[in-house]
Amino acid sequence: MLKEAHQLLKTTPGIRFVGNIEPRDVPGGEVDVVVCDGFTGNVILKLTEGVAKMLLGMLKQMFLANLGGKLAYLLLKGSVADLKHQMDSEEYGGAPFLGAKQPVIKAHGSSKAKGIKNAIRQAKICVENDLCGTMQSALDELAAAQKTEE
């Protein structure tokens, strides 16, 4: 299945397929989309969340360790808040399943009220931008282009 998916993505016109990537490239933004099985994707997401939480905890300990750390925190407070905001899954709420006929947002299993509210916001954005229709049109265009090439 993996080899077939690789070949299909590699030969599909209109997409920039870079091939297999290293796990270290996932959070760095080297690619926009990572295609993998559900188990692997879940492991990547959970590990990334855990590392982010751990790093934020380490930063907090560093800032609270002594007076110098506390003064440094006061200088960096806005940037630290921005970083925490960017790394908080509750801020995003969830992500759309691509290829569904109607918007389907996958929220985190441990989402609190804020995460669910933002997942609903994501669904609203999908509807407003006709994500499903746009995806279907793009897939239809790719299929038509592929038939023309054959």
Side-chain angles (χ1 to χ4, degrees), residues 63 71-83:
F63 285 130
L71 290 173
Y73 175 75
L74 289 175
L75 294 172
L76 298 170
K77 188 176 180 179
S79 297
V80 171
D82 289 345
L83 178 64

Side-chain angles (χ1 to χ4, degrees), residues 1-39:
M1 180 176 70
L2 294 173
K3 288 180 181 182
E4 287 177 27
H6 186 279
Q7 191 60 31
L8 282 170
L9 291 166
K10 183 178 172 183
T11 59
T12 300
I15 63 171
R16 185 181 67 87
F17 180 64
V18 299
N20 296 330
I21 62 168
E22 293 292 330
R24 68 176 168 261
D25 296 331
V26 173
E30 303 293 324
V31 296
D32 295 325
V33 176
V34 176
V35 177
C36 59
D37 64 86
F39 179 78

Side-chain angles (χ1 to χ4, degrees), residues 21-133:
I21 62 168
E22 293 292 330
R24 68 176 168 261
D25 296 331
V26 173
E30 303 293 324
V31 296
D32 295 325
V33 176
V34 176
V35 177
C36 59
D37 64 86
F39 179 78
T40 302
N42 199 43
V43 169
I44 290 169
L45 284 172
K46 302 292 182 171
L47 178 63
T48 303
E49 289 173 355
V51 170
K53 189 173 183 177
M54 179 193 68
L55 288 174
L56 287 173
M58 291 169 74
L59 275 174
K60 184 176 181 179
Q61 285 179 338
M62 183 181 73
F63 285 130
L64 295 176
N66 55 45
L67 181 61
K70 291 173 184 171
L71 290 173
Y73 175 75
L74 289 175
L75 294 172
L76 298 170
K77 188 176 180 179
S79 297
V80 171
D82 289 345
L83 178 64
K84 188 174 179 183
H85 180 80
Q86 289 175 13
M87 297 176 94
D88 183 4
S89 63
E90 293 279 307
E91 292 292 334
Y92 297 96
F97 279 156
L98 301 179
K101 292 192 183 292
Q102 298 295 321
V104 176
I105 305 298
K106 171 60 176 103
H108 200 294
S110 62
S111 292
K112 308 278 187 283
K114 180 181 179 181
I116 298 300
K117 175 192 71 116
N118 285 325
I120 293 168
R121 179 182 51 81
Q122 290 285 4
K124 183 176 181 261
I125 291 168
C126 288
V127 170
E128 289 172 350
N129 292 292
D130 190 26
L131 176 69
C132 296

